[in-house]
Amino acid sequence: MTVKTLDHVNIQTRDMAGTIAFYGDLLGLVARTAPRRKPEERQWLYAGERAVIHLNLFGTDNTYERQVIPGGNTGAIHHVAFECDDLNGMVLRLEARGLRYERAELPEIGLTQLFVVDPNNVLLELNFRT
């Protein structure tokens, strides 16, 4: 058995609409209701045909129970990274929305990184390869 790829990230949120708007507006992810769930409780956010983020409304049931506090620390997870394109367009989007971000350059591997925090205090790393 080998791991093929990271499948998705699950985020517990108190603000479903705000979180959907953030990811849709900033990253172009599209929300669809999770299978066998109420739309107000579960949404999956898609990049193309792949659900990369699963959103759960805080306080609803989970397949595997684990204490999570939206907006709090995320245990050992420091950030979630996405490979992206259109660096200049993303910088313009971040600035137009007044979102604080940090930029890191790694020219030795042809990588620019933008770091931004989502409405649930999840740190995102947006990677742009040159």
Side-chain angles (χ1 to χ4, degrees), residues 8-72:
H8 69 272
V9 174
N10 179 282
I11 298 174
Q12 303 285 303
T13 184
R14 295 181 197 276
D15 181 9
M16 184 69 75
T19 302
I20 290 170
F22 175 87
Y23 283 99
D25 189 42
L26 189 65
L27 300 181
L29 300 183
V30 176
R32 298 181 198 156
T33 303
R36 295 187 271 152
R37 300 296 184 170
K38 297 176 184 174
E40 64 275 10
E41 293 180 356
R42 301 280 191 291
Q43 292 286 315
W44 288 1
L45 305 182
Y46 285 77
E49 293 304 310
R50 179 161 211 119
V52 295
I53 297 177
H54 293 183
L55 294 178
N56 290 1
L57 185 65
F58 182 69
T60 58
D61 67 306
N62 289 293
T63 303
Y64 181 93
E65 287 302 320
R66 180 173 183 245
Q67 184 179 3
V68 177
I69 301 169

Side-chain angles (χ1 to χ4, degrees), residues 25-130:
D25 189 42
L26 189 65
L27 300 181
L29 300 183
V30 176
R32 298 181 198 156
T33 303
R36 295 187 271 152
R37 300 296 184 170
K38 297 176 184 174
E40 64 275 10
E41 293 180 356
R42 301 280 191 291
Q43 292 286 315
W44 288 1
L45 305 182
Y46 285 77
E49 293 304 310
R50 179 161 211 119
V52 295
I53 297 177
H54 293 183
L55 294 178
N56 290 1
L57 185 65
F58 182 69
T60 58
D61 67 306
N62 289 293
T63 303
Y64 181 93
E65 287 302 320
R66 180 173 183 245
Q67 184 179 3
V68 177
I69 301 169
N73 293 329
T74 56
I77 303 295
H78 181 267
H79 66 269
V80 175
F82 290 105
E83 185 156 345
C84 304
D85 58 17
D86 191 12
L87 172 63
N88 294 331
M90 181 57 68
V91 168
L92 290 173
R93 277 192 222 146
L94 291 165
E95 291 177 352
R97 289 155 182 79
L99 294 171
R100 187 180 152 272
Y101 69 95
E102 293 186 29
R103 182 176 180 143
E105 302 285 346
L106 293 113
E108 59 275 19
I109 61 171
L111 183 67
T112 300
Q113 299 170 307
L114 300 178
F115 294 90
V116 61
V117 175
D118 90 344
N120 306 287
N121 200 30
V122 175
L123 179 61
L124 302 177
E125 174 186 311
L126 307 177
N127 289 322
F128 301 86
R129 302 198 187 274
T130 56

